[in-house]
Amino acid sequence: HRRVLELSGVPENEISYTVEPKFDGLAVELVFNNGVLSLGATRGDGVIGEDVTLNLRTIKSIPLRLMGDHIPALLEVRGEVIMNKGDFEKLNRKREQLGDPLFANPRNAAAGSVRQLDPRITTTRPLNLFAYGIGRVQGIELTEHWDGIHLLKSLGFRISQHVELCRSVDQVTAYHQKILELRNDLPYEIDGIVIKVNSFALQARLGELSRSPRWAVAWKFPA
């Protein structure tokens, strides 16, 4: 928060943060041209990832065509592919019966399922996607991350029911404690929260370091 204040020069009462659970899965990016899914890739090193379009098409929570009347000409969607804890346990029991090696955790199961060479195998895996961000967009003007998240929901994506808008550091701290207490009751694994400067203009002013943005940070939970 001090860094945001120092680098932006914006008064404290003008800064807000979007906060959400940090999903423990596989980060992917989806590209939609005129409302149709045309590409899906893993995040990789942040610049180059793997083309996993065919596998991502098998995940029911990923729309193959966007919903609504106002469809952007180009939309890049960022999200996390996860496997619920209960589904992970069922998958591992089935693999144990078949004599197959077990997955170490739901994150590895999700990542291994998305990166299968045969999409027919991915189809049999109980995967979900939560959308949490937008890259490039053409045809719709957005000024805040909060608005972008709710645009994604209106277009047919699943977003976290726990995403919130905070207008002070105290609210962010209280949110972190609330989600930490919820952690074990959630059906999927999380390992912290993600805090993002809400204003896109302020995000652009803050910029990015070589590997991470100055306008976002993960606040991890204890292991």
Side-chain angles (χ1 to χ4, degrees):
H1 183 63
R2 282 196 302 269
R3 182 177 67 190
V4 168
L5 289 173
E6 290 168 3
L7 293 175
S8 69
V10 172
E12 187 163 11
N13 63 359
E14 293 182 17
I15 294 173
S16 59
Y17 297 102
T18 305
V19 290
E20 57 208 297
K22 184 177 181 297
F23 296 103
D24 198 13
L26 178 71
V28 298
E29 180 154 318
L30 308 164
V31 180
F32 290 81
N33 286 291
N34 296 314
V36 178
L37 178 62
S38 59
L39 176 69
T42 63
R43 185 171 60 185
D45 61 5
V47 178
I48 297 173
E50 295 176 60
D51 183 342
V52 287
T53 309
L54 294 178
N55 292 354
L56 293 177
R57 284 178 180 274
T58 71
I59 299 176
K60 292 181 176 61
S61 52
I62 297 179
L64 302 181
R65 184 179 293 273
L66 300 179
M67 296 166 48
D69 299 325
H70 303 289
I71 304 298
L74 170 69
L75 179 67
E76 293 177 348
V77 178
R78 288 157 190 174
E80 196 93 355
V81 176
I82 59 117
M83 184 178 293
N84 283 349
K85 291 183 280 192
D87 291 329
F88 164 74
E89 290 164 4
K90 288 179 188 174
L91 176 63
N92 258 356
R93 283 198 297 270
K94 186 174 180 181
R95 291 177 69 83
E96 187 174 32
Q97 291 167 1
L98 295 172
D100 294 334
L102 304 185
F103 288 112
N105 50 54
R107 177 168 56 89
N108 286 3
S113 299
V114 170
R115 299 172 72 180
Q116 286 288 331
L117 295 177
D118 186 352
R120 289 174 297 184
I121 297 177
T122 310
T123 303
T124 68
R125 302 284 171 79
L127 300 172
N128 282 292
L129 176 119
F130 280 97
Y132 58 68
I134 292 176
R136 292 182 300 163
V137 58
Q138 295 174 2
I140 291 180
E141 289 295 322
L142 293 170
T143 60
E144 295 185 342
H145 179 68
W146 179 255
D147 294 337
I149 288 290
H150 289 87
L151 171 67
L152 290 173
K153 184 177 181 180
S154 73
L155 293 173
F157 291 94
R158 187 179 184 188
I159 65 168
S160 171
Q161 69 186 92
H162 300 290
V163 63
E164 290 186 18
L165 184 61
C166 294
R167 301 193 181 277
S168 71
V169 170
D170 288 344
Q171 288 180 7
V172 173
T173 303
Y175 176 85
H176 178 269
Q177 183 61 35
K178 180 177 78 170
I179 299 300
L180 175 58
E181 291 170 5
L182 271 178
R183 179 186 191 181
N184 292 331
D185 296 326
L186 294 173
Y188 42 77
E189 291 198 340
I190 61 172
D191 58 359
I193 66 169
V194 179
I195 308 159
K196 298 174 184 173
V197 170
N198 190 40
S199 163
F200 286 145
L202 191 50
Q203 286 184 11
R205 191 184 307 179
L206 292 167
E208 302 192 5
L209 301 172
S210 59
R211 293 190 64 83
S212 62
R214 286 193 177 101
W215 46 264
V217 68
W219 188 353
K220 294 287 194 76
F221 294 148

